[in-house]
Amino acid sequence: MNITKTLIFFCLLGVLNTAFSQQRDIPKKVDALLKKMTLAEKIGQLNQYNGDWEATGPVTPDVGNKLDAIKRGEVGSVLNIVGVKHTRVFQEAAMQSRLKIPLLFGQDVIHGYSVTFPIPLAEAASWDVQAIEKSARIAATEAAAGGVHWTFAPMVDIARDPRWGRVMEGAGEDPYLGSLIATARVKGFQGKGLGSLDAVMACAKHFAAYGAATGGRDYNSVDMSLRTLWEIYLPPFKAALDAGAATFMNSFNDLNGIPASGNRYLQRDILKGKWGFKGFVVSDWGSIGEMINHGYVKDNYEAAEAAINAGSDMDMESRSYIKNLAKLVADKKVSVAVIDEAVRRILTKKYEMGLFDDAYRFSDAEREKQAINTREHVEAARDIARKSIVLLKNEHQLLPLSRDLNSIAVIGPLAKLKKEMKGFWALNIGDEKEIVSLYEGMQNQGGKTKLLYAKGCEITDTSRAGFNEAYKTAMQADVVVMAMGERFDMTGEAKSRSDIHLPGVQEELIKAIMSTGKPVVVLLMAGRPMVFNWTADHVPAILYTWWLGNQAGNAITDVLYGSYNPGAKLPITFPRTEGQIPIYYNHFNTGRPARNDNDVNYTSAYIDLPNSPKYAFGHGLSYTNFTYSNLRFSKKSMLKNGSITVSFDLQNTGKYPGEEVAQFYLRDLVSQPVRPVKELKGFQKLMLQPGETKTITFTIDKEKLAFYNDKLERITQPGEFRLMIGSASDDIRLQDNFVLAD
Ligand code: GLC
């Protein structure tokens, strides 16, 4: 090895050794600091206030000057402070406290900081975990440059109910896909590790089962078997923890009558006990105090007692801890040891973030300017936005559009909107001119094609005054592209809808435009699955574009003209109507399963609706076609600790290069307790050129066959299983059975 390489090697070794020894010394440093702290200062570390930027929850009575409270050592963290300049002011206050313990700055960097990326549910539709990790990586890079230490993301709540507004914030209904995406997002946010100047602490939320709110009504109770909790709702949290998530956030809901903030089973038995979580748990906004509303405690004194003893380390915005913990210790209701354990967890993260070495290390104005809104970030946003667009329907290959069209009529209330494209939980850091509307995207690429425009109607109101102008505009064009959907704030926190139909008179407008006889493409923009049956049954081409962020217009246009062939798949089931909810693909068979869509002869079915969803989990078309063939097994019987390799050939039989997400489902045909009719256990997303064939291989091992029995033991049972391979959960192309031997 030459001299240079030797020198580099030993320098790297020195750096790694220093970093390792610094990490190794943290427990000693934390213990030493803890010894110096008064009880009041310890309690201050458990207290988190909202900054003065934007409240993301109900604002409780003010606490007076927060900077003074920080100087008195009464605050451990502040959220919703934006930008280097602003965070520095708050950190300077912390440096005036007796022990100069730095603040942690938290922010909901859910899908981008300055460059807004597609909403998480849209990204989940890409099934592209590398792209999703990159999206989180860029968000972290920009946020860290903006003074943020900690993002309250990824939200990993499984959601099976599209009435729930926060369905937009997660990865949909499936535990396997949701776990892979949770892992990707945690790795993206934390990058090379805490302490890196482009990394932020991740926060797996909302622990737990928040997405199962009864009736899809936000904050509502959750009532479920512990088996369902372990099978469906906990896996993405465990994946986030295994990926190294620095923090968890608990949830507003009660789980079987016990609010998550006071739920010892969730936070101590599972998270900190069985799973060995070493980070800290922050409560959700005011959730500790909300245990009074739940009727679980009498007052904030009891709320603080229940929460700290149940493992809620930091109190976001309820003031329960700062106002009651000292008295609870004096009254011997809470031990100093419990407080110390919570403080230790929080101080450890502050050390790991390097904040004791330099409290201002994330407050660098120059880096903020350089790192934010770069060309590379914008391109990455456009790339994943394209990958998130689902082609629901494309009759007679209406799409992609020809670039030789004389004119296109762009019609609809969302055609020229910009801010809407960001969707909910956008930080609106950047300038609105950085957002590309659909109309602008089409102007950017339209070439000599003339663009006509008419709004046609509003998003929600019932006026039809614009129909006539829209009709006339459509009549002048070769093709019509309609931009329809929700308002951006119709899906998100506290945005549950009992009626998830396309709002207002939009579907009437679509009918009116269809009556022109012109070819019509409908783009549906929303944060949730909507109901749009007439459109689905009558419009030849439909793209579900969700909310795609700053590059929405360019990404949609890339797909419209075919410079990108859509390959996304639905991460959540689309119901025919609200009456079908809950409807999800991995359901049990029941004793009287319907034999087909219209079998109502003493079967588990509705007499007024086909049994299948409007669009199934995993559904998504392409401009090309794929054939699945030649399924083969390495063997048809597997020993408990063995494995089976399954292969098949996938061919692109169309004329466009395209990506397919080949999905692998398993079914345990006989088991006690029963198992779902199918469960996603693997997938591969791959690009194939026209005519190209690739062999895809999938390994079945014990873990893929395991499940929780009624004692919550993770087991496998010998017997017959079915492997199903397909392009969607309702589009199985190959299947065969195999056996797990004793
Ligand atoms: C909100 C949300 C949570 C968010 C927090 C801080 O109420 O429930 O997801 O991280 O408050 O904004």
Side-chain angles (χ1 to χ4, degrees):
M1 192 193 307
N2 67 34
I3 295 294
T4 318
K5 282 186 179 175
T6 309
L7 280 175
I8 291 169
F9 173 74
F10 282 106
C11 284
L12 272 176
L13 202 61
V15 167
L16 284 172
N17 189 36
T18 313
F20 181 68
S21 62
Q22 280 173 347
Q23 294 289 344
R24 191 182 52 214
D25 294 344
I26 287 176
K28 286 187 203 133
K29 291 175 182 171
V30 168
D31 286 339
L33 178 54
L34 213 49
K35 285 192 178 73
K36 295 177 192 164
M37 295 171 77
T38 65
L39 177 61
E41 286 164 334
K42 291 177 182 176
I43 293 168
Q45 288 301 305
L46 310 185
N47 182 40
Q48 182 185 55
Y49 282 150
N50 187 50
D52 48 13
W53 184 47
E54 184 177 337
T56 46
V59 180
T60 37
D62 209 343
V63 288
N65 185 303
K66 289 171 186 169
L67 290 177
D68 290 344
I70 291 167
K71 289 172 190 169
R72 293 193 298 269
E74 295 169 7
V75 188
S77 169
V78 180
L79 70 146
N80 290 335
I81 297 283
V82 178
V84 159
K85 185 163 161 285
H86 224 154
T87 51
R88 183 176 278 274
V89 169
F90 280 74
Q91 199 67 290
E92 281 166 353
M95 291 304 108
Q96 293 169 48
S97 64
R98 185 177 77 88
L99 291 171
K100 298 180 176 20
I101 298 174
L103 292 170
L104 280 173
F105 295 119
Q107 187 69 52
D108 293 285
V109 184
I110 307 295
H111 54 109
Y113 179 77
S114 177
V115 174
T116 303
F117 283 74
I119 57 169
L121 188 62
E123 289 193 347
S126 74
W127 293 52
D128 185 333
V129 284
Q130 287 78 22
I132 291 170
E133 181 172 342
K134 183 174 182 180
S135 165
R137 185 86 294 276
I138 289 170
T141 302
E142 293 197 345
V148 175
H149 302 138
W150 177 22
T151 178
F152 303 127
M155 184 274 219
V156 300
D157 299 303
I158 292 292
R160 292 171 153 175
D161 190 330
R163 293 171 297 180
W164 188 49
R166 300 195 78 164
V167 69
M168 54 68 61
E169 205 176 334
E173 71 187 50
D174 182 71
Y176 178 84
L177 179 63
S179 298
L180 288 179
I181 290 175
T183 301
R185 286 188 169 136
V186 168
K187 286 181 174 173
F189 288 130
Q190 298 188 168
K192 298 187 289 293
L194 301 193
S196 311
L197 285 173
D198 64 356
V200 295
M201 295 197 304
C203 181
K205 71 184 187 182
H206 305 77
F207 196 64
Y210 178 38
T214 303
R217 207 174 71 233
D218 208 353
Y219 316 127
N220 203 359
S221 291
V222 170
D223 197 86
M224 69 172 63
S225 71
L226 292 184
R227 237 166 46 74
T228 298
L229 177 70
W230 280 91
E231 285 285 358
I232 303 295
Y233 292 87
L234 289 182
F237 285 102
K238 182 62 169 54
L241 184 142
D242 291 344
T247 68
F248 269 53
M249 180 184 290
N250 61 34
S251 54
F252 292 117
N253 57 285
D254 68 270
L255 173 62
N256 302 333
I258 301 175
S261 305
N263 198 311
R264 181 184 287 274
Y265 175 65
L266 285 176
Q267 298 182 137
R268 288 211 185 276
D269 298 352
I270 298 176
L271 182 61
K272 296 177 176 179
K274 185 176 178 66
W275 290 354
F277 178 58
K278 300 296 179 221
F280 69 86
V281 176
V282 63
S283 68
D284 200 343
W285 184 292
S287 65
I288 290 175
E290 288 174 7
M291 288 197 280
I292 302 166
N293 299 338
H294 279 283
Y296 190 67
V297 294
K298 182 161 75 342
D299 52 26
N300 281 87
Y301 176 86
E302 289 188 355
E305 176 192 10
I308 192 77
N309 285 328
S312 295
D313 298 304
M314 184 181 278
D315 171 10
M316 180 192 290
E317 266 295 317
S318 93
R319 289 102 160 102
S320 303
Y321 282 7
I322 196 73
K323 291 184 175 172
N324 294 284
L325 279 181
K327 186 170 183 330
L328 283 160
V329 169
D331 297 347
K332 301 203 181 322
K333 303 257 186 173
V334 171
S335 71
V336 173
V338 162
I339 297 213
D340 284 355
E341 190 247 348
V343 176
R344 187 172 281 114
R345 288 172 180 266
I346 292 164
L347 293 179
T348 297
K349 291 305 164 202
K350 293 185 177 184
Y351 271 107
E352 289 175 2
M353 289 295 288
L355 292 171
F356 280 98
D357 300 328
D358 173 6
Y360 303 108
R361 62 195 303 264
F362 291 88
S363 310
D364 178 330
E366 193 44 41
R367 186 166 66 237
E368 182 177 44
K369 252 203 301 290
Q370 296 305 321
I372 282 177
N373 213 18
T374 65
R375 169 119 230 93
E376 183 216 346
H377 294 176
V378 172
E379 273 313 309
R382 179 171 181 166
D383 180 55
I384 193 163
R386 287 188 293 242
K387 291 177 173 172
S388 304
I389 297 170
V390 183
L391 177 61
L392 293 179
K393 188 178 176 186
N394 189 26
E395 274 172 355
H396 324 308
Q397 285 290 317
L398 172 54
L399 289 173
L401 300 177
S402 159
R403 292 186 186 275
D404 301 330
L405 290 169
N406 291 320
S407 61
I408 296 176
V410 183
I411 292 175
L414 287 144
K416 291 195 171 183
L417 294 185
K418 292 164 77 79
K419 191 169 167 304
E420 306 289 320
M421 299 303 115
K422 284 176 166 265
F424 203 82
W425 286 121
L427 292 174
N428 300 319
I429 305 280
D431 188 320
E432 195 161 295
K433 70 176 185 313
E434 288 149 12
I435 307 167
V436 182
S437 69
L438 167 72
Y439 192 79
E440 289 168 335
M442 294 184 75
Q443 282 178 314
N444 294 343
Q445 298 191 45
K448 60 180 187 323
T449 302
K450 188 173 173 229
L451 287 185
L452 309 174
Y453 168 73
K455 190 175 193 177
C457 68
E458 298 300 334
I459 294 176
T460 54
D461 86 20
T462 55
S463 164
R464 295 162 181 76
F467 279 32
N468 196 27
E469 184 213 2
Y471 184 92
K472 286 180 190 159
T473 305
M475 285 300 285
Q476 298 165 47
D478 297 330
V479 170
V480 182
V481 173
M482 300 187 77
M484 318 300 280
E486 290 183 320
R487 226 189 19 254
F488 86 97
D489 59 0
M490 291 175 78
T491 306
E493 181 173 357
K495 308 295 181 193
S496 298
R497 289 177 66 197
S498 63
D499 171 353
I500 58 172
H501 281 68
L502 192 56
V505 293
Q506 294 185 52
E507 202 149 42
E508 286 183 44
L509 177 65
I510 294 169
K511 282 180 192 170
I513 300 305
M514 281 295 291
S515 68
T516 63
K518 297 287 182 178
V520 175
V521 180
V522 168
L523 310 175
L524 292 171
M525 304 176 175
R528 62 160 34 96
M530 294 186 290
V531 171
F532 47 95
N533 292 314
W534 191 90
T535 300
D537 296 339
H538 297 87
V539 172
I542 303 171
L543 290 165
Y544 217 80
T545 71
W546 317 98
W547 296 119
L548 293 171
N550 283 19
Q551 285 296 302
N554 286 335
I556 295 170
T557 308
D558 291 341
V559 168
L560 285 172
Y561 283 118
S563 50
Y564 181 81
N565 177 2
K569 301 283 184 179
L570 295 179
I572 188 168
T573 301
F574 277 50
R576 294 175 183 274
T577 186
E578 295 80 4
Q580 263 190 333
I581 297 168
I583 182 168
Y584 44 88
Y585 88 93
N586 50 352
H587 58 80
F588 293 153
N589 203 31
T590 79
R592 293 192 173 183
R595 285 167 285 274
N596 55 53
D597 238 2
N598 304 303
D599 174 8
V600 291
N601 182 22
Y602 296 105
T603 57
S604 178
Y606 298 103
I607 60 172
D608 57 354
L609 199 64
N611 234 19
S612 58
K614 195 64 189 173
Y615 295 106
F617 173 82
H619 173 76
L621 305 178
S622 169
Y623 294 152
T624 189
N625 298 304
F626 298 97
T627 57
Y628 292 60
S629 64
N630 196 9
L631 175 63
R632 54 225 186 248
F633 286 72
S634 59
K635 50 184 177 255
K636 298 300 278 307
S637 173
M638 179 181 134
L639 294 175
K640 196 164 186 175
N641 292 320
S643 66
I644 292 179
T645 303
V646 175
S647 304
F648 74 97
D649 297 334
L650 182 70
Q651 184 179 23
N652 177 346
T653 51
K655 61 181 184 178
Y656 291 97
E659 289 176 296
E660 169 68 322
V661 179
Q663 300 154 45
F664 300 88
Y665 296 92
L666 289 179
R667 180 179 181 179
D668 188 341
L669 295 173
V670 177
S671 75
Q672 296 170 0
V674 298
R675 305 294 306 134
V677 295
K678 56 173 72 84
E679 294 176 278
L680 182 71
K681 293 292 183 182
F683 63 86
Q684 278 194 31
K685 179 166 189 172
L686 64 162
M687 169 64 78
L688 289 173
Q689 297 304 317
E692 185 181 11
T693 300
K694 282 183 182 169
T695 296
I696 297 179
T697 300
F698 172 62
T699 301
I700 300 168
D701 58 17
K702 185 171 72 170
E703 179 46 35
K704 294 212 184 288
L705 307 182
F707 63 98
Y708 290 97
N709 65 12
D710 49 0
K711 297 183 187 66
L712 297 183
E713 297 153 339
R714 191 140 181 81
I715 64 164
T716 52
Q717 282 176 350
E720 195 168 14
F721 291 78
R722 177 164 301 143
L723 168 75
M724 293 161 272
I725 296 173
S727 188
S729 61
D730 69 343
D731 182 6
I732 298 302
R733 306 287 182 87
L734 301 168
Q735 57 183 309
D736 199 350
N737 292 0
F738 64 93
V739 169
L740 173 64
D742 256 330

